[in-house]
């Protein structure tokens, strides 16, 4: 097969000279050239090990007779950005990473690309870039962190941080012990947050090798997947299989089915449409409601369930979920193996994947059905809902699988804040009462970059007086780890004059997950209704026209 850069090499002799000066030898110049791109860096555990992941992919490329070149664009961590202005940068980093990959892939006509990341914004950035660049590509999920003591996650930080801000509620020793054990290894945080969800979405879309998502990052299996990915991308290049042939509308529907079944992060409703848009595919929010109404929620994984992502992988991970839900999936979609989803599932069963890993689950005294509930015994359908009403004419998102049933339908008095910091302080200082509905606005994409509200939602659920009794509604977003009655992505946002901008403390808000509604149903002063509310709806309609 002729390399894509052959013509460009004839234009300017320095092209080859520069590569030879980088450590290539003359024989390498004529080989297929593969871009190996990761987010390796020291910013957080999800990226600190990716140099080793990419190194194995490099070996695989070499073994298939092609030549790799490594590039890096480091990502950043929501956890380090909690509670300060750094959080406003996090969602924006998705676009910056995507743009840098486009630059890396554009200055040389590469024959193929390998990408590796583990976390919230870098995975969708990589998948967006794969769609935009559309050369043969394979994605390597960076896997899961090890569990903390007593099967805990790094989100013990919520309880620790709340008590740390209150007088005489915690000792320095307890704080130190958490810091030394909260993140015991590299890999994505071991709950089904956005990082873990997007690893699953990459595999469900067909862009990662079967079984790769959420593999424990410290196990040899990640080495195996990485080496195989390096080999496979060369085969994809020779076959001419590109992301647009894999990430089809049918593949996105498959991914939403898997998302519904496992209880994935609400942030997937930001990331999946953004990836699809790069391919000219529109994902209507109502598609999520349609699918969630009929797909059983079978993932008993934190925060919607009990167990951690490591155990989910031991129980069979995404391939087991796909086998259990195969009647709801399009099994004819193409994947990075060069085979269909149906063929992949048959092959992974023949390979003994499920039998080989179940023993690891037994180490914890668990069986598969403890972590992935059999469809026939599932009691709940779906996990995510898009709500609409006069407060959110264009929609809002709630992860009801992580919300107590008693709070899935609620009416209460609004307590309004114009930034998360003020709302968080009100919880810490005991100024929020059971039954109230906290409103945090001007935290949408235009307002402040759409930061997540995890610090506040964790403060609520870690306060025994408020847990299960207080709702939070925002035009910002949430962490995938968010628990409780948390409704986000309210649209139009306050910064463009959406109805949420006109809510006042004391107004009455009602939402109903079952009916998919969210409305202002009462006002502090009756004479304000026409003036305040019609202005919000008028602005919403104007935004739609724009």
């Amino acid at each position: 097969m002729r390399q894509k850069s052959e013509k460009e090499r004839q234009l300017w002799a320095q092209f080859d000279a520069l590569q030879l000066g980088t450590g290539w030898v003359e024989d390498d110049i004529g080989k297929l050239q593969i871009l190996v791109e990761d987010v390796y860096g020291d910013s957080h555990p999800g990226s600190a090990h990716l140099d080793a992941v990419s190194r194995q992919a490099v070996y695989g490329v070499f073994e298939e007779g092609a030549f790799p070149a490594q590039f890096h664009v480091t990502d950043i961590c929501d956890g380090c950005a909690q509670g300060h202005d750094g959080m406003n940068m996090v969602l924006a980093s998705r676009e910056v990473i995507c743009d840098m990959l486009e630059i890396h892939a554009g200055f040389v006509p590469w024959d193929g690309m390998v990408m590796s990341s583990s976390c919230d914004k870098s995975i969708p950035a990589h998948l967006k870039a794969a769609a935009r660049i559309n050369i043969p590509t394979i994605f390597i999920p960076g896997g899961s962190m090890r569990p903390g003591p007593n099967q805990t996650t790094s989100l013990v930080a919520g309880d620790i941080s709340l008590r740390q801000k209150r007088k005489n509620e915690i000792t320095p020793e307890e704080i130190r012990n958490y810091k030394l054990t909260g993140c015991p290894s590299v890999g994505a945080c071991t709950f089904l947050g956005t990082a873990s969800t997007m690893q699953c979405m990459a595999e469900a879309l067909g862009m990662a090798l079967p079984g790769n998502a959420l593999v424990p990052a410290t196990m040899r299996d990640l080495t195996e997947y990485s080496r195989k990915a390096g080999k496979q991308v060369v085969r994809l290049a020779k076959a001419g299989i590109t992301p647009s042939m894999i990430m089809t509308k049918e593949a996105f529907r498959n991914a939403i089915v898997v998302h519904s079944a496992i209880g994935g992060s609400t942030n997937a409703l930001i990331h999946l449409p953004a990836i699809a848009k790069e391919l000219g595919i529109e994902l209507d929010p109502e598609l999520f409601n349609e699918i969630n109404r009929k797909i059983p929620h079978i993932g008993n994984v934190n925060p919607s369930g009990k167990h951690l992502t490591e155990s989910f992988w031991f129980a069979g991970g995404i391939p087991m979920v796909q086998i259990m839900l195969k009647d709801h999936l399009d099994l004819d979609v193409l994947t990075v193996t060069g085979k269909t989803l149906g063929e992949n599932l048959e092959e992974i069963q023949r390979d003994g994947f499920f039998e080989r890993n179940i023993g690891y689950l037994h180490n914890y005294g668990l069986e598969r059905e403890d972590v992935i509930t059999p469809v026939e015994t599932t009691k709940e359908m779906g996990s995510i809902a898009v709500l609409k009403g006069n407060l959110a004419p264009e929609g809002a998102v709630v992860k009801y699988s992580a919300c107590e049933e008693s709070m899935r339908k609620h009416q209460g008095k609004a307590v309004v804040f114009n930034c998360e910091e003020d709302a968080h302080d009100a919880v810490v200082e005991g100024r929020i009462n059971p039954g109230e509905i906290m409103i945090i606005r001007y935290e949408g994409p235009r307002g402040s970059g759409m930061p997540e509200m995890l610090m506040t939602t964790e403060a609520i659920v870690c306060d025994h007086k408020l847990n299960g009794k207080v709702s939070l509604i925002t035009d910002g977003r949430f962490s995938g780890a968010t628990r409780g009655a948390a409704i986000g992505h309210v649209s139009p946002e306050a910064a463009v004059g959406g109805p949420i901008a006109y809510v006042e403390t004391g107004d009455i808000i009602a939402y109903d997950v079952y009916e998919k509604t969210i409305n202002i149903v009462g006002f502090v002063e009756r004479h304000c209704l026409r003036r305040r509310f019609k202005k919000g709806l008028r602005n919403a309609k104007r935004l739609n026209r724009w």
Side-chain angles (χ1 to χ4, degrees):
M1 177 183 175
R2 294 174 61 182
Q3 61 177 204
K4 289 183 179 177
S5 60
E6 184 176 341
K7 179 181 176 182
E8 285 76 7
R9 291 178 185 283
Q10 305 305 316
L11 299 175
W12 188 245
Q14 190 185 22
F15 190 150
D16 289 353
L18 287 166
Q19 292 190 323
L20 290 169
T22 309
W24 301 33
V25 298
E26 195 169 6
D27 286 347
D28 298 330
I29 296 299
K31 297 175 181 176
L32 294 183
Q33 296 187 2
I34 305 298
L35 174 61
V36 179
E37 183 81 51
D38 60 44
V39 290
Y40 166 66
D42 293 334
S43 60
H44 60 97
S47 293
H49 64 306
L50 295 180
D51 58 334
V53 170
S54 288
R55 193 177 309 121
Q56 292 298 326
V58 162
Y59 296 157
V61 171
F62 278 130
E63 288 173 355
E64 283 295 307
F67 197 86
Q70 288 185 258
F71 286 63
H72 316 279
V73 181
T74 305
D75 62 351
I76 57 178
C77 179
D78 299 53
C80 298
Q82 288 294 332
H84 59 87
D85 287 346
M87 181 56 76
N88 297 337
M89 312 291 182
V90 173
L91 184 57
S93 74
R94 183 189 75 180
E95 304 310 307
V96 175
I97 294 169
C98 179
D99 291 346
M100 280 304 303
L101 260 71
E102 184 181 17
I103 291 170
H104 288 172
F107 89 108
V108 169
W110 302 98
D111 297 292
M113 182 166 59
V114 177
M115 301 185 297
S116 182
S117 53
S118 308
C119 289
D120 304 43
K121 310 308 171 297
S122 49
I123 297 173
H126 279 178
L127 295 176
K128 274 169 62 74
R132 186 182 299 176
I133 298 160
N134 202 33
I135 61 175
T137 299
I138 192 165
F139 177 76
I140 308 173
S144 291
M145 183 184 290
R146 295 305 314 282
N150 301 308
Q151 291 290 294
T152 55
T153 78
S154 60
L155 279 187
V156 171
D159 175 64
I160 295 288
S161 297
L162 178 62
R163 291 189 288 131
Q164 195 175 2
K165 295 180 180 81
R166 289 175 171 173
K167 190 175 181 180
N168 300 322
E169 288 201 8
I170 196 168
T171 65
E173 290 76 20
E174 192 172 355
I175 297 170
R176 179 172 182 263
N177 285 339
Y178 162 71
K179 290 179 178 181
L180 294 176
T181 61
C183 297
S185 80
V186 295
C189 292
T190 187
F191 46 82
L192 197 61
T194 308
S196 297
T197 296
M198 292 313 297
Q199 289 194 34
C200 295
M201 293 299 94
E203 184 176 332
L205 283 168
M207 289 297 294
L209 292 174
N212 193 167
L214 304 182
V215 58
T218 56
M219 290 179 66
R220 63 158 301 280
D221 300 77
L222 183 55
T223 299
E224 184 93 14
Y225 280 115
S226 304
R227 184 76 65 87
K228 286 180 177 178
K231 292 182 178 182
Q232 184 59 24
V233 74
V234 181
R235 297 168 190 154
L236 291 174
K238 291 177 179 177
I241 296 174
T242 62
S244 62
M245 300 164 67
I246 295 171
M247 291 192 286
T248 60
K249 192 162 189 176
E250 293 76 17
F252 278 101
R253 196 180 196 286
N254 282 353
I256 297 170
V257 168
V258 170
H259 181 271
S260 172
I262 63 177
S265 166
T266 54
N267 287 311
L269 278 78
I270 298 173
H271 299 316
L272 288 176
I275 299 162
K277 186 178 180 181
E278 298 287 348
L279 295 157
I281 298 170
E282 182 178 352
L283 298 183
D284 191 309
E286 286 304 317
L287 178 61
F288 288 85
N289 276 343
E290 174 197 323
I291 290 173
N292 275 268
R293 286 189 187 101
K294 55 190 176 186
I295 300 301
H297 177 208
I298 60 177
N300 185 10
V301 188
N302 183 291
S304 293
K306 179 179 180 182
H307 301 291
L308 305 186
T309 51
E310 180 182 83
S311 295
F312 177 70
W313 189 78
F314 293 152
I318 295 304
M320 178 54 66
V321 170
Q322 290 170 324
I323 286 173
M324 293 171 68
L325 297 176
K326 62 183 180 180
D327 292 342
H328 298 280
L329 298 171
D330 186 331
L331 300 178
D332 293 326
V333 294
L334 184 64
T335 73
V336 290
T337 64
K339 302 173 183 176
T340 66
L341 172 59
E343 290 171 328
N344 288 347
L345 295 179
E346 290 175 2
E347 189 168 298
I348 204 168
Q349 285 180 288
R350 288 195 302 268
D351 183 59
F353 176 81
F354 303 118
E355 293 76 14
R356 186 161 57 245
N357 292 330
I358 195 69
Y360 292 121
L361 193 60
H362 294 162
N363 289 342
Y364 295 136
L366 297 173
E367 297 295 339
R368 178 172 290 126
E369 54 267 27
D370 295 323
V371 184
I372 305 177
T373 308
V375 170
E376 58 272 16
T377 62
T378 304
K379 297 179 180 178
E380 181 168 76
M381 302 302 285
S383 54
I384 296 280
V386 176
L387 313 182
K388 288 187 177 181
N390 60 31
L391 181 60
E394 295 177 356
V397 181
V398 61
K399 184 177 182 176
Y400 58 82
S401 60
C403 172
E404 293 185 21
E405 286 194 37
S406 61
M407 292 298 288
R408 294 182 185 182
K409 179 179 180 180
H410 181 62
Q411 179 172 305
K413 183 181 76 171
V415 184
V416 179
F417 302 92
N418 290 331
C419 66
E420 189 203 4
E421 292 84 351
D422 290 348
H424 177 259
D425 290 346
V427 176
V428 172
E429 294 164 10
R431 292 187 276 116
I432 302 298
N433 300 306
E436 293 179 334
I437 296 178
M438 298 178 69
I439 302 284
I440 306 178
R441 62 192 179 195
Y442 298 105
E443 298 283 19
R446 295 172 180 84
S448 60
M450 208 176 190
E452 69 177 33
M453 308 284 117
L454 179 64
M455 196 168 70
T456 300
T457 57
E458 280 298 294
I460 293 169
V461 299
C462 292
D463 186 311
H464 299 302
K465 183 182 76 170
L466 304 181
N467 184 26
K469 300 180 180 66
V470 167
S471 307
L472 192 156
I473 298 173
T474 180
D475 55 5
R477 63 184 178 87
F478 295 114
S479 163
T482 294
R483 302 170 286 166
I487 301 169
H489 307 194
V490 168
S491 183
E493 62 179 287
V496 296
I500 192 172
Y502 300 94
V503 180
E504 292 184 4
T505 294
D507 289 348
I508 305 301
I509 308 293
Y511 64 85
D512 189 328
V513 170
Y514 306 105
E515 296 297 324
K516 311 292 189 290
T517 58
I518 181 167
N519 291 292
I520 306 173
V521 297
F523 291 80
V524 180
E525 300 174 68
R526 294 294 298 174
H527 70 271
C528 290
L529 186 148
R530 185 178 299 275
R531 174 173 57 84
R532 281 201 279 134
F533 198 55
K534 285 198 172 181
K535 185 176 181 181
L537 290 175
R538 191 164 58 247
N539 284 339
K541 291 176 182 176
R542 188 182 304 123
L543 179 65
N544 275 334
R545 287 198 300 273
W546 181 78

